[in-house]
Amino acid sequence: MQQTSIGRSTRRVDAIAKASGHTQYIADYTFDGMIYAKMVRSTVPRGKILDISIPVLPSGYSFISAKDIPEGGKNQLHMIKTDYTCFADGEVRFIGETIGLVVGPDRGVLQDLVDQVKVTYEEGEYAVTIEDGLACKGGAFVGEDNCFCDFTINKGDVDEIFAGSDRVFEEEINTGWQEHVHLETNGAIAMPEGDKFVIHVSAQCPFYVRKSIASLINRPYEDIIVRQSVTGGAFGGKEHFPDVLAGPLLVAAYVTGKPVQLIFDRHEDSAYSVKRHPSRTRFRTAVDKDGNITAMDVDVVYNAGGYESCSYVVLQRGVFHATGVYNIPNSRVRGRAVATNTFPSDAFRGFGAPQTLFAVETHLAHIATQLGIDPFELKKRHFLKKGDVTVTNGHIYETVVLPEMAQQVLDESGYLEKAKTYAPGSLRGVGISFYNHGGAFTGNGEQMIIKARVRLRKNSDDTVDILIGSTEMGQGFQTALTKIVADELGIGLERVRYPQPDTSVVSDSGPTVASRSTMIVGAIAQRSAARLREQWVEGKELVVEEEYTHPEGFPWDQSTFQGDAYIGYGWGACVIEVEVDPLTTEVNTKGIWSSHDVGLAIDELIVHGQINGGIAQSLGYAAMEKLDFSAKTGFKQTGLSDYIIPTSMDFPSQVCTLVDNPYEFGPHGAKGMGELVFNGASAAYIDAVSRAIGKEIRSIPVPPEILMEMM
Ligand code: MTE
Ligand code: MOS
């Protein structure tokens, strides 16, 4: 048996090819006879399409739209539901909605032809904000109330507590849109292959793409083969959104019989892609005479945009995280996802949890200040611990090590001392936040919906191929999984390969979302490898396949949202120190200290990379990433010169600590962590900035120009 590489960091399996520039991304692919596509998009936020006038196209060029969907095909994308139309037909709901594709051999002339397609609309009044949507501005276009979904969960008896409570704190917290800014923009190629079609695509979930688009040309899923191209970042933005490219491309390939490529440039990718849901969270919080929180009544609304896409499940996660890492004895949380005429909102690292976690952390900090105590004092009194009842009346099954994690960040940062010495409004401040993230699909999703399968193939040369649909998108899963399998087999890493998924070859291990890959797929792969080791015969070809088994004793009722929404959580604590420049109102971040419980790190360096990146992305969300909506263009900021994301110059190097707290059902004790690390830094930052300027902040982002107004 060779020495295990679990825990220690090893060179990433994709490192050399990526660092040396040898990796082929979707934009590098070429095929004989390949033609190119550009999208014709709606230019109004809401309207009826009266006419589409197409110029005389040069030979070899065509305009592909709803009319090209063959008989029996359905003009829809199958995401969680099928409300997302592939080609706008009759009406448009947002700027940038796909109307058609112009396809042809010379990329250089496509934009010109697209500009000559004239669409006439009867424009309608439109909704942009959550308030517009709830008021059904321009008339509801989803149900009668414009809500894609509306549900409430209860724990204890909120009304009774409020009736007899000493003090009630009411507050509204808002968060804005956020753009994923994966370094590689979206792109896909559709092409015929034999009597089937192949989609090459930069995506997180190859099996989602297949399922979403097959009915467009009235074929079974198996007739659409999806091959994931190396994906240069995704962050949830390539969960369902690749379907929006792959669908029209499939129709174009069907009509032309040629490979058709569509690659978004940065402007298109920012202006016309899904975003993080803006949110509005209202709290009513009851506090007793000793300063303990006794009840919380929370109303969460997410701006879902023009189609539902993932909103229902994003909202569920937001609602289930709305009381944070705290045991609030009585709580009620209502969640709604409201339709508006903006680009659909969708999955984004944290999947709905960052919005409500930001809200509850900020709200508690404000309550503490009004009670005259330090936010940390208030928060630690209510930390969840093993055995506690959750908001969905399930239980916390694991040991929660938040007190130790808190101590760690307090010691490293000198928080308590600094919190005392930096007076409110002194332009210096420290902030603190605590957060968690439920691992894997919510409730019984893993068991009832996904049913992941993992296939390992031992070749006659005694190498092993991992054949699954889970994808690498920068998070390090390819390396983590290769290590888990090699370690279990007791062979070197170089003998285990994990090729890019191809849905005609691999088993469906579920989507690469919800930080589930290492925790769920990794555990199944470890079990598969153990079986392969038992059957191992040198020189012989062998295939083993194992499927997910749900641990016993974790009840969940999906119709009432009662029970264990998650079995295991990742946990985090973060302290941030800032100094605000009185003239420019620029915020100088002086220190970032975090502690995370990820169960056990399969590779420490990868985990540190995730923490560094996740925290930076979370700080960008709070401090600078501003998106406004304009009736003319949709989003106003449509590129990296006006949509500002952090660089390594914006934040100092971070002090990151990991605590070992092995998770019973994870491989070597590992839990999900890729999203956890996004969930909390924004609240710690805003807490620090609020104290520095001596004013409560209730809305993010807060770029310097907004701070200037506040000061
Ligand atoms: N890290 C990088 N570098 N690139 C990404 O696209 N996506 C995040 C996170 N970390 C992402 C990332 C999101 S949205 C998810 S759900 C998790 O990684 C997925 O990780 P896992 O399923 O491998 O745990
Ligand atoms: Mo991650 S938002 O679940 O892709």
Side-chain angles (χ1 to χ4, degrees):
M1 271 289 233
Q2 73 147 53
Q3 200 198 0
T4 176
S5 63
I6 300 297
R8 282 190 300 121
S9 70
T10 41
R11 186 164 71 204
R12 286 173 69 131
V13 296
D14 50 346
I16 299 280
K18 281 179 177 162
S20 66
H22 282 87
T23 300
Q24 299 279 301
Y25 293 88
I26 187 73
D28 301 316
Y29 285 32
T30 50
F31 293 98
D32 283 346
M34 187 166 85
I35 59 172
Y36 303 91
K38 266 234 169 252
M39 272 185 177
V40 174
R41 300 188 167 91
S42 66
T43 52
V44 301
R46 187 170 183 181
K48 287 202 180 83
I49 299 178
L50 299 178
D51 181 54
I52 303 176
S53 132
I54 302 143
V56 179
L57 295 169
S59 123
Y61 292 79
S62 19
F63 177 69
I64 308 289
S65 67
K67 67 177 181 347
D68 295 296
I69 291 176
E71 188 155 344
K74 294 197 184 84
N75 182 19
Q76 65 191 24
L77 300 170
H78 189 116
M79 298 179 177
I80 287 169
K81 302 204 177 128
T82 47
D83 74 323
Y84 209 125
T85 53
C86 180
F87 297 106
D89 198 12
E91 58 150 17
V92 295
R93 293 184 176 188
F94 55 93
I95 291 176
E97 188 165 355
T98 318
I99 290 177
L101 294 180
V102 175
V103 301
D106 181 355
R107 253 190 286 207
V109 305
L110 287 179
Q111 187 60 54
D112 202 36
L113 297 174
V114 164
D115 293 343
Q116 291 175 44
V117 177
K118 296 286 175 235
V119 185
T120 341
Y121 305 94
E122 180 188 312
E123 290 187 46
E125 199 191 355
Y126 55 89
V128 177
T129 61
I130 286 174
E131 284 66 32
D132 291 349
L134 290 175
C136 301
K137 203 174 157 199
F141 63 93
V142 172
E144 277 168 15
D145 58 0
N146 247 3
C147 287
F148 288 113
C149 40
D150 180 350
F151 61 91
T152 303
I153 52 167
N154 274 294
K155 168 185 171 187
D157 192 337
V158 168
D159 292 326
E160 193 186 305
I161 301 295
F162 274 105
S165 73
D166 298 298
R167 284 184 81 170
V168 174
F169 293 83
E170 296 195 25
E171 190 167 32
E172 177 182 311
I173 310 280
N174 289 277
T175 63
W177 282 289
Q178 189 182 21
E179 155 60 22
H180 301 82
V181 200
H182 20 67
L183 285 185
E184 184 208 24
T185 57
N186 280 281
I189 296 170
M191 57 197 278
E193 190 177 277
D195 58 356
K196 298 187 172 170
F197 288 88
V198 173
I199 309 289
H200 297 275
V201 60
S202 174
Q204 298 173 229
C205 315
F207 283 92
Y208 272 9
V209 176
R210 178 178 96 153
K211 178 176 171 193
S212 186
I213 68 176
S215 67
L216 279 163
I217 58 166
N218 194 19
R219 291 283 193 95
Y221 301 155
E222 294 71 26
D223 283 4
I224 313 296
I225 298 169
V226 180
R227 300 193 179 127
Q228 186 224 9
S229 55
V230 174
T231 298
F235 303 112
K238 295 178 183 173
E239 183 170 332
H240 276 298
F241 190 63
D243 312 355
V244 174
L245 284 78
L249 284 175
L250 175 65
V251 177
Y254 180 89
V255 170
T256 63
K258 296 194 163 126
V260 194
Q261 186 202 56
L262 173 61
I263 310 282
F264 282 4
D265 63 25
R266 178 60 64 190
H267 161 75
E268 291 179 281
D269 206 78
S270 323
Y272 311 122
S273 70
V274 290
K275 308 284 174 248
R276 184 186 297 286
H277 294 73
S279 73
R280 182 191 86 184
T281 306
R282 287 185 175 158
F283 293 95
R284 277 172 67 229
T285 301
V287 176
D288 68 14
K289 58 185 185 326
D290 302 320
N292 294 316
I293 296 173
T294 49
M296 244 187 198
D297 193 1
V298 194
D299 179 32
V300 183
V301 189
Y302 283 2
N303 183 341
Y307 290 113
E308 182 167 336
S309 187
C310 288
S311 292
Y312 188 33
V313 275
V314 167
L315 179 69
Q316 284 172 34
R317 195 172 270 274
V319 164
F320 302 157
H321 284 76
T323 56
V325 298
Y326 309 107
N327 185 3
I328 309 296
N330 301 277
S331 61
R332 172 166 59 212
V333 191
R334 178 182 186 190
R336 280 171 287 175
V338 65
T340 62
N341 300 102
T342 61
F343 214 99
S345 305
D346 209 11
F348 195 144
R349 197 174 199 172
F351 209 77
Q355 289 94 320
T356 49
L357 284 171
F358 171 76
V360 71
E361 285 300 291
T362 303
H363 179 54
L364 290 196
H366 294 163
I367 293 179
T369 311
Q370 288 175 43
L371 292 174
I373 56 173
D374 188 275
F376 171 63
E377 272 308 307
L378 178 67
K379 291 178 178 182
K380 78 169 183 199
R381 278 185 211 159
H382 297 280
F383 277 163
L384 278 165
K385 54 185 189 313
K386 186 173 181 162
D388 281 352
V389 176
T390 65
V391 273
T392 52
N393 298 304
H395 291 90
I396 298 288
Y397 289 93
E398 60 196 326
T399 305
V400 181
V401 291
L402 275 178
E404 290 92 307
M405 294 163 64
Q407 199 54 51
Q408 211 151 34
V409 291
L410 292 185
D411 291 348
E412 284 163 353
S413 64
Y415 171 89
L416 291 174
E417 191 53 39
K418 287 174 179 167
K420 265 193 232 124
T421 45
Y422 301 164
S426 67
L427 299 180
R428 300 185 76 178
V430 279
I432 192 161
S433 69
F434 299 97
Y435 44 100
N436 62 356
H437 194 86
F441 258 47
T442 299
N444 55 10
E446 294 290 341
Q447 181 187 16
M448 304 304 286
I449 303 169
I450 304 190
K451 305 176 179 143
R453 303 183 73 85
V454 167
R455 184 179 303 152
L456 298 181
R457 183 179 62 207
K458 176 188 172 297
N459 304 304
S460 52
D461 64 358
D462 295 337
T463 59
V464 173
D465 293 331
I466 301 173
L467 302 175
I468 57 172
S470 304
T471 57
E472 173 66 46
M473 49 194 183
Q475 85 279 37
F477 181 62
Q478 220 176 6
T479 304
L481 194 67
T482 305
K483 288 172 73 162
I484 291 168
V485 169
D487 179 80
E488 196 62 37
L489 289 169
I491 63 178
L493 287 180
E494 71 291 345
R495 281 170 62 194
V496 179
R497 273 187 308 251
Y498 180 174
Q500 293 297 118
D502 171 328
T503 57
S504 66
V505 176
V506 303
S507 66
D508 186 356
S509 52
T512 308
V513 303
S515 309
R516 61 182 288 280
S517 305
T518 297
M519 153 177 199
I520 301 286
V521 182
I524 312 172
Q526 188 181 20
R527 191 151 35 84
S528 312
R531 228 182 81 205
L532 182 59
R533 192 187 56 220
E534 282 163 20
Q535 299 176 8
W536 191 279
V537 179
E538 276 185 27
K540 196 174 155 202
E541 204 172 294
L542 281 166
V543 176
V544 297
E545 195 164 313
E546 290 277 326
E547 70 181 333
Y548 177 74
T549 50
H550 200 65
E552 299 263 316
F554 299 95
W556 176 253
D557 182 340
Q558 181 63 23
S559 57
T560 57
F561 296 140
Q562 291 296 292
D564 296 309
Y566 309 99
I567 302 176
Y569 296 80
W571 304 85
C574 183
V575 168
I576 290 184
E577 180 179 352
V578 301
E579 200 174 274
V580 180
D581 185 306
L583 280 180
T584 63
T585 62
E586 256 176 312
V587 179
N588 181 358
T589 304
K590 311 283 283 179
I592 302 169
W593 298 268
S594 72
S595 177
H596 289 97
D597 166 9
V598 303
L600 181 133
I602 298 294
D603 187 296
E604 267 205 3
L605 196 58
I606 290 177
V607 171
H608 276 139
Q610 285 290 294
I611 295 172
N612 277 298
I615 287 182
Q617 205 171 26
S618 182
L619 292 176
Y621 180 44
M624 56 186 83
E625 299 187 27
K626 189 154 177 19
L627 270 182
D628 303 299
F629 183 86
S630 133
K632 283 218 173 73
T633 55
F635 296 115
K636 276 189 194 158
Q637 295 82 356
T638 63
L640 295 180
S641 53
D642 48 12
Y643 185 77
I644 310 298
I645 59 165
T647 69
S648 53
M649 298 295 285
D650 289 301
F651 301 115
S653 68
Q654 305 176 14
V655 180
C656 316
T657 310
L658 289 177
V659 292
D660 276 355
N661 183 22
Y663 169 59
E664 186 182 346
F665 307 108
H668 302 277
K671 298 191 270 204
M673 56 80 52
E675 294 170 279
L676 167 71
V677 295
F678 182 95
N679 285 1
S682 37
Y685 173 87
I686 291 299
D687 184 16
V689 175
S690 302
R691 297 194 215 184
I693 65 167
K695 292 208 164 95
E696 289 180 348
I697 298 175
R698 296 199 189 84
S699 181
I700 52 169
V702 193
E705 61 272 21
I706 293 184
L707 267 190
M708 194 168 274
E709 275 168 29
M710 293 187 76
M711 289 164 76

